[in-house]
Amino acid sequence: AVQSSGHALTAILLDGVGCSGDSDKFFVGAGAGSVNLILTSAGLTNLFSHLPGSYKCVNASMIVDANPDVLVIVEASWDSAINKIAYMHNNSAFCNAPFVQKADYIKIPFSASALGPRNGAAALDLVSAAIHVTTGATTMNFQSGVEFFDPDVLVSRTAGLLCPLALTDMSYSGVSSSPPPPAPAPPASESTLEDWAIAVIIVFAVLFGVVVVVLSWVIVRERTGAPLFTSKLVDVTSATSKDNI
């Protein structure tokens, strides 16, 4: 289902923290049983499907090296999913893992992860939740109990831990890490452009009128035998002659 939607994703199911008496190991879904059936039915690739049995104990480095697109975490009354998340976010081995930094987590009820009639609906809801946490897209819910976490709850629960979360880290938080684009420039006012054009036309019209008046006056003087520039030349010549006498 996920693959047919164009979102081919990998996954690991985390059932519990600590196993076989080792608190540093993690109990994860392996290649047999209901867990692998649910993941593969949803179109997710179970990164630990090569391990024998239904569940397996692995260390943190195996999970980090596998680098799943989503981590499906079992919710149980005796071992809540949010506590498992807090444990990982207070473990330096997980701090640089992309799925931890982006909180690509999905919660599945313990009853839905065990073999039973809820497996089909759980697989469908895994599709929706996986697409949502990795892209932010909103999809349908078949009410199986599979869901994503509230981003604000994750931020609050991991605050003060070694690997704290911020809303900008999560694609499904609705808070963008990029600055908002600048507001578009307001369109130029047509009336302003029109007034400017009218002002220029008026200035040129006035200048043209002045030039026409001056030229007309010069022409009239020429026709009446009293050219403007010649008369000044004659006056200068006469004055020079008188000085010589």
Side-chain angles (χ1 to χ4, degrees), residues 198-220:
I198 292 174
V200 171
I201 292 172
I202 292 174
V203 170
F204 276 101
V206 171
L207 291 176
F208 180 75
V210 171
V211 171
V212 170
V213 170
V214 171
L215 288 177
S216 299
W217 180 54
V218 171
I219 293 172
V220 170

Side-chain angles (χ1 to χ4, degrees), residues 66-217:
N67 191 27
D69 291 312
V70 293
L71 187 67
V72 182
I73 307 173
V74 174
E75 170 71 21
S77 59
W78 61 90
D79 188 14
S80 69
I82 194 68
N83 284 344
K84 297 183 184 83
I85 290 174
Y87 184 89
M88 289 190 299
H89 281 262
N90 208 32
N91 186 330
S92 59
F94 287 99
C95 286
N96 293 324
F99 69 93
V100 172
Q101 293 176 334
K102 297 183 293 183
D104 291 330
Y105 304 134
I106 299 172
K107 178 168 56 177
I108 183 171
F110 173 78
S111 57
S113 68
L115 190 62
R118 296 177 65 183
N119 293 160
L124 291 173
D125 280 340
L126 273 177
V127 176
S128 299
I131 293 174
H132 179 75
V133 299
T134 55
T135 69
T138 301
T139 53
M140 64 185 69
N141 189 321
F142 291 93
Q143 307 300 319
S144 69
V146 173
E147 58 185 354
F148 50 87
F149 292 84
D150 184 325
D152 291 316
V153 171
L154 292 175
V155 170
S156 175
R157 187 65 181 84
T158 60
L161 302 182
L162 293 178
C163 323
L165 285 167
L167 290 177
T168 52
D169 298 329
M170 295 171 263
S171 60
Y172 54 98
S173 69
V175 179
S176 174
S177 59
S178 303
S189 171
E190 293 183 2
S191 60
T192 301
L193 291 176
E194 184 177 341
D195 293 342
W196 177 81
I198 292 174
V200 171
I201 292 172
I202 292 174
V203 170
F204 276 101
V206 171
L207 291 176
F208 180 75
V210 171
V211 171
V212 170
V213 170
V214 171
L215 288 177
S216 299
W217 180 54

Side-chain angles (χ1 to χ4, degrees), residues 12-30 35 48 54-60 63 71-88 91 94 106 108-110 113:
I12 290 174
L13 183 137
L14 175 62
D15 184 85
V17 174
C19 59
S20 300
D22 190 342
S23 60
D24 291 330
K25 288 190 177 292
F26 299 83
F27 201 49
V28 300
V35 169
F48 287 145
S54 298
Y55 293 91
K56 202 71 175 177
C57 290
V58 299
N59 55 37
I63 297 175
L71 187 67
V72 182
I73 307 173
V74 174
E75 170 71 21
S77 59
W78 61 90
D79 188 14
S80 69
I82 194 68
N83 284 344
K84 297 183 184 83
I85 290 174
Y87 184 89
M88 289 190 299
N91 186 330
F94 287 99
I106 299 172
I108 183 171
F110 173 78
S113 68

